[in-house]
Each structure stands twice: as C-alpha cells, then as structure tokens.
Amino acid sequence: MLLAQSIQLCLGAFDRTRTLAGMISGVGQLFNGRLGDARILRLVQKWLRAGILEDGIVTVEENGTGQGSVISPLLANIYLHYVFDLWAERWRRREATGDMIMVRYADDLVVGFQHESDAGRFWDAMRERLKEFSLSLHPDKTRLIEFGRFAAQNRERRGLAKPETFRFLGFVLICSKTRRGAFQIRRKSRRDRMRAKLREIKEELRRRMHRPIPETGKWLAQVVSGYSAYHAVPTNVAAIGAFRYRVTVCSVGVARKRIWCGSG
C-alpha cells in the first residue's frame, strides 16, 4: 500500500512559539550539535519575527515564516524534520509490522507500507501528530492507493482495474513492466506541468522576438537543457522528445513572425 500526501499550509500555519522552542532552544538535539553559532540562531529568530512590507504597509504575522520570504522553505523543511521525519522514523521502529519506506520533499511526501493495516494506523496517527502543530493533510492531495510489485496481480485477482497512479515532484508514477516482464515503476512527466512550461517558453520567445538571434538561442538552450536535466529519467524518453519537438515548433513559429516583421 502507498500513502501519497501533501501537508497543507506548511509555511504559513505552524506555531512559531513551538518552532522556536523546538528548533532554536533545542537546536543542539535537533541538529545533533552541528549548528551552534549563536549569531545564526539570532538571525533565524529575527527572520521569524520580521513583518512583510506590501503597498507601504508592514504586516507582522503571529504564526508562520512569512509567505514569500527567501528563508521560508528552509525553515519549513527544518520544522517538518522536527514535526514529521523524526516522529515517523520512531513510529516505523515501534509500530510498523512490515516494511515501511518514506520519501519527503518539502511538504510533499510518499509513504509505502507492506501491510494495509499499517497504512491505516499511520494515517490516523499522522493526522493527530500534525494537528498538535497546527498543520493538516491536504484533503485533495492525500490518498491511500494500492501500488507496488504485486499490486497489479492482487487487483486482477479481485477483478479490479490496473493500480492507480500518483503524482510526485512533477512526475506521474505508474506500475509497469520491462520488456522482459519484470516489475518497474514508470516515471512520466506531468502533462499539465509540461503544457505550462511550453506556454511560458512561447510567451518569452514572443517577448524576445526582436532580440539578437544568438542571444535568444543561448537562452533557449539553457531552458531546454535545464528541463531535460530534471526530466530525463528512464521510462520518460517519449515525454522529453515531445517537449523538445514542441519547443522547436514554437521557436520556428516565432522566427517566421520575425521575418515577416522585417527583423531578420
């Protein structure tokens, strides 16, 4: 069984008092003694208490790290290490009756269980744990699905459809098989994210239509290279090819308009 979930309102909702108490006052335990510079700790305290300047008005929030602050993702990650990571590892050692794996990136996480009963108990326990720290699971992004090496066989035996897919870090993960019939997890780029990126590239190409061609070409190469560096994983070759093709179509279209406008 697999529990895919997202922690809601991570940056803006956590209890700042408990954060300071658990993260700063108890920093020796939390960081295993790796961070002991009092100047850094004072800076973090000031950043947590800093207000937000918008339209000439300073707003100071009672909770959270300040949406848009450059340090917010870092502090939220530290907070979740204290709130979730350490607690979940302890739960795995003491409560789990089978294998259990956890992958967390910021406020998105996936937890895999060998036994469905463990998944249900962990879900209930996690809700209570997050509630203590003014956090909650996102209702639209949290679900328990049957996924893994034997999921397809078990569902077929019960007369059910193929295992459900789930989204994580820009990919759709699918139960699949290799050409030799071995189980594999297929990763495929999310279509909605790809379409959004292509729209962004198209708009930027139009904005750069009258800029020097070598300059635009260098920028476009960097964008495509960066996208490919992240998405070029096994089983995702078709999506990368489709992305490159659509970028080529967009760039050719803008080049033709450039010629028609007499800027060639």
Side-chain angles (χ1 to χ4, degrees):
M1 301 300 295
L2 187 135
L3 182 61
Q5 51 200 328
S6 178
I7 299 176
Q8 191 175 29
L9 300 177
C10 177
L11 299 180
F14 66 68
D15 188 331
R16 186 179 298 168
T17 303
R18 299 194 67 169
T19 302
L20 292 173
M23 185 182 70
I24 297 175
S25 299
V27 75
Q29 291 183 341
L30 186 58
F31 292 98
N32 295 322
R34 288 179 293 178
L35 179 58
D37 192 331
R39 293 171 298 179
I40 298 297
L41 302 183
R42 286 196 299 269
L43 179 61
V44 171
Q45 288 178 316
K46 290 180 179 180
W47 218 314
L48 283 171
R49 298 188 179 109
I52 300 174
L53 178 63
E54 186 174 3
D55 297 329
I57 301 175
V58 177
T59 303
V60 180
E61 300 290 343
E62 293 296 328
N63 292 316
T65 64
Q67 296 292 340
S69 171
V70 294
I71 202 173
S72 291
L74 174 61
L75 295 181
N77 201 42
I78 295 173
Y79 190 61
L80 285 180
H81 175 74
Y82 170 68
V83 172
F84 174 77
D85 295 347
L86 300 181
W87 169 83
E89 178 61 26
R90 185 168 60 250
W91 193 97
R92 183 189 66 81
R93 293 196 308 266
R94 297 178 180 179
E95 304 292 339
T97 59
D99 290 338
M100 173 180 169
I101 59 173
M102 296 172 288
V103 179
R104 181 180 69 82
Y105 184 85
D107 58 349
D108 290 324
L109 58 119
V110 173
V111 188
F113 301 89
Q114 183 178 2
H115 303 305
E116 184 177 358
S117 58
D118 283 349
R121 290 189 299 110
F122 181 83
W123 195 348
D124 292 337
M126 184 177 179
R127 278 198 293 257
E128 293 300 319
R129 172 69 175 179
L130 295 180
K131 189 176 181 180
E132 295 177 10
F133 294 86
S134 303
L135 297 173
S136 63
L137 295 175
H138 198 295
D140 299 327
K141 297 182 179 180
T142 302
R143 58 195 179 115
L144 182 63
I145 64 174
E146 192 171 8
F147 192 93
R149 186 178 303 275
F150 305 109
Q153 299 175 10
N154 294 337
R155 291 176 66 85
E156 184 178 1
R157 191 181 306 118
R158 300 197 303 269
L160 300 177
K162 294 181 179 180
E164 295 181 67
T165 63
F166 69 96
R167 297 175 176 182
F168 189 58
L169 303 182
F171 290 97
V172 177
L173 284 83
I174 308 166
C175 285
S176 183
K177 293 182 179 181
T178 64
R179 293 181 179 179
R180 297 182 178 181
F183 171 78
Q184 72 171 0
I185 296 178
R186 181 185 175 195
R187 289 176 290 177
K188 183 180 179 181
S189 297
R190 289 178 53 173
R191 291 184 179 181
D192 57 337
R193 296 281 181 87
M194 182 185 294
R195 285 195 294 265
K197 187 63 177 179
L198 288 171
R199 284 196 299 268
E200 179 184 325
I201 292 174
K202 188 175 183 178
E203 292 173 2
E204 183 64 17
L205 283 173
R206 288 176 176 174
R207 192 183 70 83
R208 292 171 172 263
M209 184 168 62
H210 302 294
R211 303 290 292 273
I213 293 178
E215 177 184 321
T216 301
K218 182 179 180 180
W219 166 81
L220 188 60
Q222 291 175 340
V223 172
V224 174
S225 177
Y227 186 91
S228 299
Y230 182 80
H231 290 268
V233 298
T235 72
N236 198 37
V237 175
I240 291 295
F243 176 79
R244 289 176 174 269
Y245 172 76
R246 297 307 306 173
V247 169
T248 301
V249 171
C250 290
S251 59
V252 170
V254 172
R256 288 175 176 172
K257 289 183 179 180
R258 177 189 177 99
I259 294 174
W260 293 339
C261 292
S263 299

